[in-house]
Amino acid sequence: MLFIRAQHPNEISEKLKNYNLDEYRTPAQAFAEAISTNTIVFITESDKAKTRIEDALHTFLAPWGSDITIANLFNNGILNDVPRIDLGPGIIFLKAINEKHISALKDKLMDQLYSHKFPFVKGVEVGEIQDTIVYVTTDSLSRPVNISLDEEVILVHRDKYLTSSFLEKNIVKIFMETISEDALKELGITIYDHHNLYDLQRQRIYTVITDLSLGFIVGERFTTDSPRFLMKIIVYLIKLLTPEDIQKIKWYMMGLEFLENGERICDIDILYRGKKISWRDLDGIDHTGRKEHIALQAREELMSTLSDEAREHLSRLDEKIAQKIRALS
């Protein structure tokens, strides 16, 4: 969040428009579309000193981080007549699994970090550049978070780098300590690929699990499976701790068995408590139809659910697999 203190706010606004930045009617609209690499630019009157969102006369969204945004605006003369700029506190988002977990995460952070609770808008005002707002949500973090300006947040009195470093080291422990035992399930995801392209296959599964925040991968290795009596094959096993519905994960993994053109490139099974989850166990599908047609429906839904970045990455992996299969034919 960059606050420009302007003696002539409307003139600065016109300069930003001419610089091809998008203006939003309200700050809430800008927050609704901003992603982690963006900067929300607020233009206020020059006599304002607090980082108050409600002081904004104009609100813009810049496609860069705050340091690049400041450099670009300064080097293009947009800040020439601006007496002061301020940066709001940093913002870090954490994904919880449900509303109960949001409360538990906030309490744990309050216990472990020097911090206070505020509504988001108040946190921006009270927070300084060396502080960090931690916003806990159930929204996916692979796309813009639906920020409520009245949502209770944690204002941590350390900068974003230090807060991020602490969370990177401790978030799994914090997550596990704040979730009930029955909320997480341990699943096995096994991959069989007779083309032996396991590294690409695991990258595809990683992409989906990470982008959709499906859980924690806690182990992986090659092992054996017995698809039929007295028959053993080598498969790659990924162990996943997940709060998600098992059927949802089975549905998405079915979609990953096929390329867009309908070519089957691997077999992916879901194991729960020693039992394989069959596609015929899924609710709400036509069990009399062919698995290939149903799996392509799952793939279409999966691709529409992924973020643009993850969708593009998965498509690149799919193309690599298709090229290698053609080379082996």
Side-chain angles (χ1 to χ4, degrees):
M1 292 175 288
L2 172 63
F3 292 79
I4 298 177
R5 315 306 188 183
Q7 292 175 324
H8 305 288
N10 291 336
E11 290 183 13
I12 297 296
S13 174
E14 288 303 314
K15 288 182 180 180
L16 292 181
K17 289 177 185 177
N18 292 335
Y19 196 55
N20 293 322
L21 296 191
D22 294 326
E23 182 172 12
Y24 290 81
R25 190 167 56 85
T26 66
Q29 290 179 333
F31 277 114
E33 296 194 21
I35 60 175
S36 61
T37 54
N38 295 161
T39 298
I40 299 178
V41 180
F42 302 107
I43 302 176
T44 76
E45 295 174 331
S46 59
D47 61 345
K48 305 298 182 183
K50 287 286 188 179
T51 51
R52 288 163 49 94
I53 293 173
E54 53 265 44
D55 288 338
L57 301 175
H58 301 276
T59 303
F60 288 82
L61 189 60
W64 321 284
S66 57
D67 50 353
I68 298 176
T69 298
I70 292 171
N72 285 343
L73 298 186
F74 179 82
N75 291 337
N76 285 276
I78 295 173
L79 301 179
N80 284 352
D81 299 323
V82 172
R84 178 185 175 91
I85 61 173
D86 290 302
L87 286 170
I91 305 178
I92 292 176
F93 295 96
L94 294 183
K95 185 181 187 304
I97 64 170
N98 52 40
E99 293 298 325
K100 182 179 178 181
H101 191 218
I102 285 179
S103 179
L105 277 173
K106 288 178 181 178
D107 290 343
K108 177 63 72 171
L109 292 175
M110 289 289 293
D111 181 57
Q112 302 219 348
L113 294 168
Y114 175 43
S115 54
H116 293 86
K117 290 182 180 179
F118 292 104
F120 179 80
V121 149
K122 189 67 176 178
V124 173
E125 177 185 343
V126 174
E128 304 288 348
I129 187 174
Q130 67 269 22
D131 296 329
T132 305
I133 288 174
V134 179
Y135 193 111
V136 189
T137 178
T138 56
D139 290 354
S140 169
L141 302 186
S142 60
R143 49 196 54 81
V145 173
N146 184 25
I147 290 180
S148 168
L149 301 186
D150 297 324
E151 178 71 21
E152 181 187 72
V153 299
I154 305 298
L155 181 65
V156 180
H157 299 295
R158 60 169 70 177
D159 65 36
K160 188 174 179 179
Y161 172 79
L162 291 175
T163 304
S164 178
S165 178
F166 171 84
L167 290 173
E168 286 174 1
K169 295 174 183 176
N170 296 282
I171 191 59
V172 174
K173 180 174 180 288
I174 291 172
F175 190 92
M176 298 302 292
E177 290 176 347
T178 54
I179 194 171
S180 59
E181 291 184 8
D182 59 349
L184 284 178
K185 301 172 283 289
E186 182 177 316
L187 304 183
I189 303 174
T190 62
I191 314 165
Y192 174 68
D193 180 358
H194 72 277
H195 298 294
N196 205 32
L197 303 175
Y198 285 102
D199 184 57
L200 291 172
Q201 299 292 3
R202 64 186 284 276
Q203 287 185 55
R204 296 169 78 238
I205 290 175
Y206 265 53
T207 298
V208 171
I209 290 174
T210 302
D211 188 67
L212 300 182
S213 302
L214 296 181
F216 297 107
I217 293 174
V218 294
E220 50 186 304
R221 60 186 171 86
F222 281 103
T223 185
T224 59
D225 188 23
S226 300
R228 290 193 294 273
F229 182 63
L230 295 180
M231 177 183 180
K232 283 192 178 295
I233 58 173
I234 301 297
V235 296
Y236 194 78
L237 170 67
I238 296 173
K239 289 188 175 182
L240 179 71
L241 280 179
T242 178
E244 296 292 340
D245 181 69
I246 298 174
Q247 292 205 0
K248 177 195 287 190
I249 294 177
K250 173 64 178 178
W251 179 248
Y252 288 154
M253 293 303 112
M254 276 183 64
L256 287 178
E257 292 184 351
F258 292 81
L259 296 179
E260 187 178 12
N261 62 5
E263 180 181 2
R264 188 171 190 177
I265 56 171
C266 65
D267 183 68
I268 302 176
D269 285 320
I270 301 297
L271 308 176
Y272 181 57
R273 294 179 176 175
K275 176 187 175 183
K276 286 186 181 179
I277 307 301
S278 169
W279 66 277
R280 296 188 183 279
D281 296 327
L282 298 179
D283 298 328
I285 65 171
D286 179 11
H287 296 103
T288 63
R290 295 180 58 190
K291 179 182 178 181
E292 291 80 0
H293 293 161
I294 295 170
L296 288 175
Q297 293 174 20
R299 177 186 168 88
E300 184 178 353
E301 181 179 320
L302 171 62
M303 296 299 276
S304 67
T305 304
L306 293 172
S307 65
D308 292 342
E309 182 180 3
R311 190 184 308 114
E312 291 170 6
H313 184 56
L314 184 59
S315 296
R316 288 194 296 270
L317 292 171
D318 286 354
E319 180 56 31
K320 283 184 181 180
I321 289 175
Q323 290 174 356
K324 289 182 178 292
I325 291 175
R326 288 195 295 267
L328 292 171
S329 301

